[in-house]
PDB file of all heavy atoms in Angstrom:
ATOM      1  N   MET U  25     -51.214 -36.682   3.129  1.00 62.00           N
ATOM      2  CA  MET U  25     -50.261 -35.610   3.338  1.00 62.00           C
ATOM      3  C   MET U  25     -50.883 -34.465   4.147  1.00 62.00           C
ATOM      4  O   MET U  25     -50.232 -33.892   5.012  1.00 62.00           O
ATOM      5  CB  MET U  25     -49.753 -35.114   1.980  1.00 62.00           C
ATOM      6  CG  MET U  25     -48.613 -34.145   2.072  1.00 62.00           C
ATOM      7  SD  MET U  25     -47.172 -34.986   2.731  1.00 62.00           S
ATOM      8  CE  MET U  25     -45.935 -33.816   2.407  1.00 62.00           C
ATOM      9  N   GLY U  26     -52.181 -34.172   3.885  1.00 71.00           N
ATOM     10  CA  GLY U  26     -52.869 -33.100   4.594  1.00 71.00           C
ATOM     11  C   GLY U  26     -53.035 -33.434   6.068  1.00 71.00           C
ATOM     12  O   GLY U  26     -52.976 -32.563   6.934  1.00 71.00           O
ATOM     13  N   GLY U  27     -53.252 -34.720   6.389  1.00 78.00           N
ATOM     14  CA  GLY U  27     -53.394 -35.136   7.777  1.00 78.00           C
ATOM     15  C   GLY U  27     -52.100 -34.982   8.555  1.00 78.00           C
ATOM     16  O   GLY U  27     -52.102 -34.628   9.737  1.00 78.00           O
ATOM     17  N   THR U  28     -50.981 -35.221   7.891  1.00 83.00           N
ATOM     18  CA  THR U  28     -49.675 -35.063   8.536  1.00 83.00           C
ATOM     19  C   THR U  28     -49.425 -33.606   8.887  1.00 83.00           C
ATOM     20  O   THR U  28     -48.951 -33.273   9.968  1.00 83.00           O
ATOM     21  CB  THR U  28     -48.546 -35.585   7.614  1.00 83.00           C
ATOM     22  OG1 THR U  28     -48.851 -36.932   7.253  1.00 83.00           O
ATOM     23  CG2 THR U  28     -47.220 -35.517   8.312  1.00 83.00           C
ATOM     24  N   ARG U  29     -49.769 -32.706   7.948  1.00 81.00           N
ATOM     25  CA  ARG U  29     -49.590 -31.276   8.207  1.00 81.00           C
ATOM     26  C   ARG U  29     -50.470 -30.817   9.358  1.00 81.00           C
ATOM     27  O   ARG U  29     -50.041 -30.038  10.208  1.00 81.00           O
ATOM     28  CB  ARG U  29     -49.911 -30.466   6.949  1.00 81.00           C
ATOM     29  CG  ARG U  29     -48.860 -30.594   5.885  1.00 81.00           C
ATOM     30  CD  ARG U  29     -49.191 -29.730   4.715  1.00 81.00           C
ATOM     31  NE  ARG U  29     -48.196 -29.920   3.667  1.00 81.00           N
ATOM     32  CZ  ARG U  29     -48.305 -29.446   2.461  1.00 81.00           C
ATOM     33  NH1 ARG U  29     -49.367 -28.740   2.108  1.00 81.00           N
ATOM     34  NH2 ARG U  29     -47.353 -29.657   1.567  1.00 81.00           N
ATOM     35  N   ALA U  30     -51.703 -31.299   9.394  1.00 77.00           N
ATOM     36  CA  ALA U  30     -52.615 -30.929  10.474  1.00 77.00           C
ATOM     37  C   ALA U  30     -52.093 -31.441  11.805  1.00 77.00           C
ATOM     38  O   ALA U  30     -52.160 -30.761  12.836  1.00 77.00           O
ATOM     39  CB  ALA U  30     -54.014 -31.472  10.207  1.00 77.00           C
ATOM     40  N   LEU U  31     -51.527 -32.650  11.812  1.00 77.00           N
ATOM     41  CA  LEU U  31     -50.977 -33.218  13.032  1.00 77.00           C
ATOM     42  C   LEU U  31     -49.769 -32.414  13.514  1.00 77.00           C
ATOM     43  O   LEU U  31     -49.645 -32.095  14.709  1.00 77.00           O
ATOM     44  CB  LEU U  31     -50.575 -34.684  12.804  1.00 77.00           C
ATOM     45  CG  LEU U  31     -49.966 -35.401  14.009  1.00 77.00           C
ATOM     46  CD1 LEU U  31     -50.994 -35.497  15.132  1.00 77.00           C
ATOM     47  CD2 LEU U  31     -49.466 -36.760  13.606  1.00 77.00           C
ATOM     48  N   ILE U  32     -48.893 -32.032  12.588  1.00 81.00           N
ATOM     49  CA  ILE U  32     -47.723 -31.239  12.934  1.00 81.00           C
ATOM     50  C   ILE U  32     -48.140 -29.870  13.461  1.00 81.00           C
ATOM     51  O   ILE U  32     -47.635 -29.389  14.489  1.00 81.00           O
ATOM     52  CB  ILE U  32     -46.766 -31.098  11.728  1.00 81.00           C
ATOM     53  CG1 ILE U  32     -46.114 -32.456  11.424  1.00 81.00           C
ATOM     54  CG2 ILE U  32     -45.700 -30.035  11.996  1.00 81.00           C
ATOM     55  CD1 ILE U  32     -45.291 -32.469  10.157  1.00 81.00           C
ATOM     56  N   LEU U  33     -49.118 -29.238  12.821  1.00 77.00           N
ATOM     57  CA  LEU U  33     -49.616 -27.947  13.272  1.00 77.00           C
ATOM     58  C   LEU U  33     -50.236 -28.087  14.668  1.00 77.00           C
ATOM     59  O   LEU U  33     -50.011 -27.240  15.547  1.00 77.00           O
ATOM     60  CB  LEU U  33     -50.644 -27.382  12.287  1.00 77.00           C
ATOM     61  CG  LEU U  33     -51.280 -26.053  12.668  1.00 77.00           C
ATOM     62  CD1 LEU U  33     -50.208 -24.970  12.763  1.00 77.00           C
ATOM     63  CD2 LEU U  33     -52.350 -25.666  11.678  1.00 77.00           C
ATOM     64  N   GLY U  34     -50.987 -29.159  14.868  1.00 75.00           N
ATOM     65  CA  GLY U  34     -51.587 -29.398  16.183  1.00 75.00           C
ATOM     66  C   GLY U  34     -50.534 -29.573  17.259  1.00 75.00           C
ATOM     67  O   GLY U  34     -50.659 -29.036  18.369  1.00 75.00           O
ATOM     68  N   LEU U  35     -49.472 -30.317  16.967  1.00 73.00           N
ATOM     69  CA  LEU U  35     -48.399 -30.518  17.955  1.00 73.00           C
ATOM     70  C   LEU U  35     -47.672 -29.206  18.266  1.00 73.00           C
ATOM     71  O   LEU U  35     -47.320 -28.946  19.412  1.00 73.00           O
ATOM     72  CB  LEU U  35     -47.400 -31.555  17.438  1.00 73.00           C
ATOM     73  CG  LEU U  35     -47.899 -33.006  17.464  1.00 73.00           C
ATOM     74  CD1 LEU U  35     -46.889 -33.922  16.788  1.00 73.00           C
ATOM     75  CD2 LEU U  35     -48.163 -33.455  18.874  1.00 73.00           C
ATOM     76  N   VAL U  36     -47.471 -28.377  17.229  1.00 69.00           N
ATOM     77  CA  VAL U  36     -46.829 -27.084  17.457  1.00 69.00           C
ATOM     78  C   VAL U  36     -47.698 -26.210  18.371  1.00 69.00           C
ATOM     79  O   VAL U  36     -47.196 -25.580  19.302  1.00 69.00           O
ATOM     80  CB  VAL U  36     -46.567 -26.360  16.110  1.00 69.00           C
ATOM     81  CG1 VAL U  36     -46.179 -24.906  16.327  1.00 69.00           C
ATOM     82  CG2 VAL U  36     -45.476 -27.080  15.334  1.00 69.00           C
ATOM     83  N   LEU U  37     -49.002 -26.215  18.169  1.00 67.00           N
ATOM     84  CA  LEU U  37     -49.908 -25.428  19.007  1.00 67.00           C
ATOM     85  C   LEU U  37     -49.921 -25.955  20.438  1.00 67.00           C
ATOM     86  O   LEU U  37     -49.946 -25.181  21.404  1.00 67.00           O
ATOM     87  CB  LEU U  37     -51.315 -25.418  18.422  1.00 67.00           C
ATOM     88  CG  LEU U  37     -51.480 -24.619  17.137  1.00 67.00           C
ATOM     89  CD1 LEU U  37     -52.892 -24.758  16.594  1.00 67.00           C
ATOM     90  CD2 LEU U  37     -51.145 -23.153  17.362  1.00 67.00           C
ATOM     91  N   VAL U  38     -49.903 -27.274  20.596  1.00 67.00           N
ATOM     92  CA  VAL U  38     -49.883 -27.844  21.940  1.00 67.00           C
ATOM     93  C   VAL U  38     -48.594 -27.478  22.666  1.00 67.00           C
ATOM     94  O   VAL U  38     -48.607 -27.074  23.831  1.00 67.00           O
ATOM     95  CB  VAL U  38     -50.055 -29.383  21.886  1.00 67.00           C
ATOM     96  CG1 VAL U  38     -49.744 -30.026  23.218  1.00 67.00           C
ATOM     97  CG2 VAL U  38     -51.475 -29.733  21.462  1.00 67.00           C
ATOM     98  N   LEU U  39     -47.471 -27.562  21.982  1.00 61.00           N
ATOM     99  CA  LEU U  39     -46.201 -27.193  22.602  1.00 61.00           C
ATOM    100  C   LEU U  39     -46.154 -25.704  22.924  1.00 61.00           C
ATOM    101  O   LEU U  39     -45.590 -25.299  23.934  1.00 61.00           O
ATOM    102  CB  LEU U  39     -45.035 -27.592  21.700  1.00 61.00           C
ATOM    103  CG  LEU U  39     -44.761 -29.085  21.616  1.00 61.00           C
ATOM    104  CD1 LEU U  39     -43.655 -29.370  20.592  1.00 61.00           C
ATOM    105  CD2 LEU U  39     -44.385 -29.653  22.967  1.00 61.00           C
TER     106      LEU U  39
END
Side-chain angles (χ1 to χ4, degrees):
M25 188 67 167
T28 305
R29 288 183 183 170
L31 180 64
I32 291 173
L33 178 62
L35 287 173
V36 168
L37 290 176
V38 168
L39 288 175

